[in-house]
Amino acid sequence: MVSSPGERLQRAITLRQLRDLVSFINRCADKDGYLPGWIDREGKTCHRDSINLYDVVKYVVNPATAEEKCSYVELVAPACTTAQTPRWFVSHWWGEPVKDFLACLERHSRDRGLGSDVKYWVCAYANNQWKLSADVTRDPGDSAFRLAMGRAVGTISVIDEKAMCLQRIWCDYEIYVSLTIKEEKAAL
């Protein structure tokens, strides 16, 4: 899978790969849904129904990618895959439950007849957590986020129950850029 800085936007994740991730989390849970040894940011044991991306990166993404020092997408992409080009960019807050996040993308795909192999650019899975400075640059215009927004046909904003994403500056930036990219593309 791609790992050069120029190809960092090619690390979109499929619904199938996201479902596999959620299945893994479910398999790690005990009969009551708790994830023994997985402690959230508030000091509580994570639960499969409420685990968020902060905890998934800590307990799944980072341990899984530690040896290869790669992005999660690079790890789970099928052998011989050279790119998973994003069709959609996803703007969201890391604090929403991963199962709710997946449900939103599944609904998006179902409503548009996109199937399980539609590719979504999701920062936590696309960015190499071991080399974040390559993906999250000083100038947001040069970041992997901005490159992926430019490549995608559109942006999905996942709004959690409390609309926390609208209070996050990165999410606001992503929505702003997505709207102005649309205007730039229309002008061409």
Side-chain angles (χ1 to χ4, degrees):
M1 183 77 198
V2 295
S3 59
S4 68
E7 298 298 321
R8 60 193 179 189
L9 71 145
Q10 302 289 348
R11 299 187 207 135
I13 194 163
T14 66
L15 278 182
R16 188 180 320 275
Q17 292 162 344
L18 284 171
R19 287 182 194 126
D20 289 346
L21 173 71
V22 170
S23 293
F24 171 77
I25 292 167
N26 289 336
R27 287 192 307 275
C28 291
D30 66 18
K31 64 179 178 60
D32 297 316
Y34 289 97
L35 296 151
W38 296 18
I39 307 302
D40 69 17
R41 294 167 35 145
E42 296 173 0
K44 299 177 185 172
T45 300
C46 295
H47 191 277
R48 69 177 170 223
D49 292 338
S50 58
I51 190 169
N52 62 40
L53 205 43
Y54 292 108
D55 302 318
V56 168
V57 167
K58 180 178 180 180
Y59 293 108
V60 180
V61 172
N62 285 348
T65 61
E67 186 175 328
E68 297 292 325
K69 301 286 190 251
C70 63
S71 72
Y72 185 75
V73 170
E74 290 171 290
L75 185 72
V76 300
C80 299
T81 300
T82 58
Q84 288 191 177
T85 305
R87 177 120 173 106
W88 298 92
F89 177 88
V90 183
S91 178
H92 66 105
W93 175 53
W94 278 33
E96 79 250 343
V98 171
K99 72 172 187 68
D100 294 350
F101 175 84
L102 176 58
C104 287
L105 295 186
E106 286 180 328
R107 181 61 185 254
H108 174 265
S109 176
R110 186 172 50 254
D111 287 351
R112 287 160 183 76
L114 302 174
S116 294
D117 292 319
V118 61
K119 295 166 186 72
Y120 295 96
W121 197 93
V122 181
C123 61
Y125 308 120
N127 289 337
N128 183 335
Q129 299 299 317
W130 303 100
K131 299 174 186 173
L132 280 176
S133 62
D135 296 325
V136 183
T137 57
R138 175 170 257 192
D139 178 354
D142 295 330
S143 69
F145 295 79
R146 176 60 179 83
L147 294 172
M149 283 182 258
R151 176 64 61 95
V153 298
T155 295
I156 300 163
S157 182
V158 175
I159 310 291
D160 58 286
E161 285 182 350
K162 296 179 183 176
M164 288 297 295
C165 58
L166 300 178
Q167 298 175 35
R168 311 294 289 192
I169 193 69
W170 261 108
C171 295
D172 294 339
Y173 169 77
E174 291 163 355
I175 298 304
Y176 169 79
V177 169
S178 296
L179 292 171
T180 57
I181 284 174
K182 183 178 179 181
E183 292 170 4
E184 288 173 10
K185 286 181 180 176
L188 295 176

